[in-house]
Amino acid sequence: MLLKNKHILLAITGGIAAYKCAHLVRLLVKEGAHVKVVLTKSAQEFVTTKTLSVLSKNEVVTDFFDSNNNWNNHVALAEWADIMLVAPLTANTLSKFANGLCDNMVSACYLSAKCPVFVAPAMDLDMYKHPTTIKNLKTLESNKNIIIPAEHGELASGLVGEGRMAEPENIVDFMKKTMSQHLPFSGKKILVNAGPTYEAIDPVRFIGNRSSGKMGVALADEFAKQGADVTLVLGPSHIKPTEQTVETIMVESADEMFEKCNALFRTIDIAVLSAAVADYKPETIYNSKIKKQDGALTLNLIKTTDILESLGKQKQHQILVGFALETDNLLEYAKEKIKKKNLDFIVANSASEKGSGFGVDTNKITIIDKHNNLHNFELKSKQAVAKDIVQFTYKTLKDHA
Ligand code: CTP
């Protein structure tokens, strides 16, 4: 949801494609964006201000003064915007933008905008190909405006060629893709593991732990929101990521979790291992349900592979982050784990402190970096803790570069 809660100022100029802007506003609102619309006089010939006002749930601005002679402040409108989108952009308005002309509300907002400006040109094919148009579009590009290329198809003139305004769906996809490329972790591949593991005893029983997976799933979501390409290797948990771009691989045992993480490690940039992996598993998994007998039952447990330690041994360019959950001597044990597992930093949380650790919605962490510096954080929701960890990872990534 890259456009969620974003303030989008949609400027509509007078081309036939303006009629598609009613649908465009709907799509933007559906993405969770707040939309305000400003349109030129000629745009009003193609789409009504009433339609746009109802769909955007905001007043529509057409002139420097409204019907009561109140001044519409273009500077305030431009400042309100996180993104300005000009669609359709006619050859006439393009020429004004390229030359700094200011004779209506749209051009005044354009000149006042400090946010990213997307433009979706729309004109007849010969106009689109004209050297002046090409030169004007280049000027806009050199001013850091983002051009949403016109599409090929039938034009208002009846001719067929390039010049149609990109379809509203394509405009929204284009904006989302561009926004994601500007995020802190765009282009980074991140592996997160989370949740408990279940070690089978027989077909109906297992040894598990009380981890819910909440912390790791919140981390996967936060990295994805910040543009990363996230793979989440998740043990048995009911919590699922909310970000659609997170690729989730469900596993059950420590062995399966090791196999998946190990296979991915070479190709990733950052690994954050938050899973509560079982340290021991039954030596034998019975094929049939164990029947009750007289006397005690002894299960022989053998060690599982330490996933984090194994990845630490293979580490090359990757940033490796571990977690430490302890009931006693939290910081000393956590510091030992940084060295032993070759980590860039460790997130220490106490299993005995109130509001921290397994099952609960909050956590209180201390991050210890590889130089043994401590970074203490307040008790917060796991989502807020995930933000702190992601921010710390970003700082580590920058120091690493
Ligand atoms: N870890 C792992 N594989 C294991 C055990 C732990 O990858 N088989 C990882 C955890 O995901 C965590 C870190 O190691 O990031 C520390 O886990 P923790 O349970 O705190 O410590 P252990 O190393 O298992 O040692 P101990 O249980 O003795 O504290």
Side-chain angles (χ1 to χ4, degrees):
M1 295 299 260
L2 290 158
L3 300 180
K4 194 167 181 200
N5 292 328
K6 288 273 180 300
H7 290 179
I8 300 181
L9 179 61
L10 171 63
I12 308 176
T13 71
I16 176 65
Y19 85 91
K20 295 186 181 176
C21 287
H23 185 44
L24 179 58
V25 171
R26 276 203 71 205
L27 292 177
L28 293 170
V29 170
K30 245 183 163 172
E31 289 288 330
H34 303 287
V35 182
K36 286 190 181 177
V37 182
V38 48
L39 68 174
T40 62
K41 207 161 180 233
S42 50
Q44 294 167 58
E45 309 277 338
F46 299 102
V47 60
T48 75
T49 52
K50 284 198 182 87
T51 309
L52 296 164
S53 165
V54 171
L55 292 173
S56 67
K57 302 183 186 82
N58 272 313
E59 251 175 61
V60 170
V61 179
T62 55
D63 220 332
F64 289 111
F65 291 91
D66 67 16
S67 50
N68 298 322
N69 270 342
N70 293 318
W71 184 53
N72 284 318
N73 185 342
H74 54 88
V75 179
L77 252 184
E79 260 179 10
W80 170 87
D82 298 314
I83 298 169
M84 182 172 178
L85 166 63
V86 189
L89 172 69
T90 57
N92 184 38
T93 301
L94 166 63
S95 164
K96 287 186 199 174
F97 285 0
N99 292 288
L101 229 79
C102 182
D103 63 350
N104 61 19
M105 204 51 195
V106 167
S107 46
C109 286
Y110 173 76
L111 288 177
S112 310
K114 285 180 280 186
C115 59
V117 178
F118 289 79
V119 300
M123 59 199 81
D124 214 68
L125 81 165
D126 292 319
M127 291 167 81
Y128 193 53
K129 273 198 291 207
H130 196 282
T132 312
T133 304
I134 294 171
K135 193 178 89 201
N136 286 342
L137 281 172
K138 281 216 172 100
T139 304
L140 260 60
E141 242 169 356
S142 66
N143 290 340
K144 300 229 168 356
N145 297 163
I146 305 148
I147 319 285
I148 306 174
E151 292 177 0
H152 188 277
E154 195 180 327
L155 300 157
S157 61
L159 296 172
V160 175
E162 240 170 43
R164 277 164 68 115
M165 183 181 85
E167 288 301 325
E169 283 81 1
N170 297 344
I171 292 181
V172 174
D173 284 350
F174 188 100
M175 288 170 74
K176 279 163 56 180
K177 202 162 165 210
T178 309
M179 296 298 289
S180 76
Q181 284 161 359
H182 287 87
L183 291 169
F185 286 92
S186 56
K188 294 286 170 223
K189 282 184 187 293
I190 303 189
L191 164 68
V192 177
N193 75 5
T197 62
Y198 286 178
E199 308 307 322
I201 299 170
D202 68 14
V204 294
R205 302 182 179 97
F206 62 84
I207 298 173
N209 62 63
R210 294 185 197 280
S211 165
S212 63
K214 274 182 197 156
M215 190 64 249
V217 171
L219 267 170
D221 274 335
E222 190 56 35
F223 276 122
K225 275 187 202 152
Q226 300 209 18
D229 180 358
V230 182
T231 305
L232 171 69
V233 179
L234 181 62
S237 164
H238 298 302
I239 318 279
K240 297 285 175 288
T242 51
E243 290 300 304
Q244 284 172 6
T245 57
V246 174
E247 193 196 333
T248 307
I249 302 173
M250 295 300 301
V251 294
E252 196 169 283
S253 65
D255 285 353
E256 280 176 306
M257 193 173 266
F258 169 69
E259 206 182 290
K260 298 291 180 203
C261 294
N262 194 48
L264 288 164
F265 191 61
R266 239 172 357 102
T267 62
I268 56 112
D269 303 295
I270 300 166
V272 182
L273 300 204
S274 71
V277 187
D279 288 329
Y280 294 93
K281 62 178 180 181
E283 188 171 28
T284 312
I285 304 175
Y286 291 84
N287 289 327
S288 311
K289 185 183 164 202
I290 303 172
K291 297 302 288 175
K292 194 164 38 190
Q293 291 156 0
D294 290 339
L297 171 73
T298 304
L299 285 175
N300 205 25
L301 300 180
I302 56 169
K303 262 192 166 166
T304 57
T305 307
D306 190 312
I307 306 170
L308 189 57
E309 195 173 338
S310 165
L311 299 189
K313 283 190 183 128
Q314 303 170 44
K315 189 170 102 170
Q316 289 175 339
H317 61 280
Q318 296 92 341
I319 287 177
L320 188 58
V321 179
F323 271 66
L325 180 76
E326 310 282 354
T327 47
D328 316 284
N329 302 328
L330 174 64
L331 298 180
E332 281 106 282
Y333 285 139
K335 282 180 191 166
E336 278 170 23
K337 285 173 191 172
I338 300 184
K339 273 214 186 78
K340 189 165 170 232
K341 306 193 185 194
N342 192 19
L343 308 181
D344 291 274
F345 68 86
I346 197 159
V347 180
N349 51 172
S350 163
S352 42
E353 193 160 328
K354 205 164 170 263
S356 210
F358 281 179
V360 291
D361 290 331
T362 50
N363 208 359
K364 186 170 185 298
I365 60 160
T366 299
I367 292 182
I368 310 172
D369 63 31
K370 61 180 173 194
H371 308 296
N372 275 345
N373 297 314
L374 301 186
H375 307 261
N376 292 309
F377 295 85
E378 302 292 311
L379 180 74
K380 319 179 170 184
S381 72
K382 285 190 172 165
Q383 280 71 23
V385 173
K387 279 202 172 96
D388 290 335
I389 297 170
V390 168
Q391 202 178 353
F392 200 88
T393 311
Y394 186 66
K395 195 176 146 290
T396 310
L397 187 69
K398 290 284 133 209
D399 294 346
H400 200 70

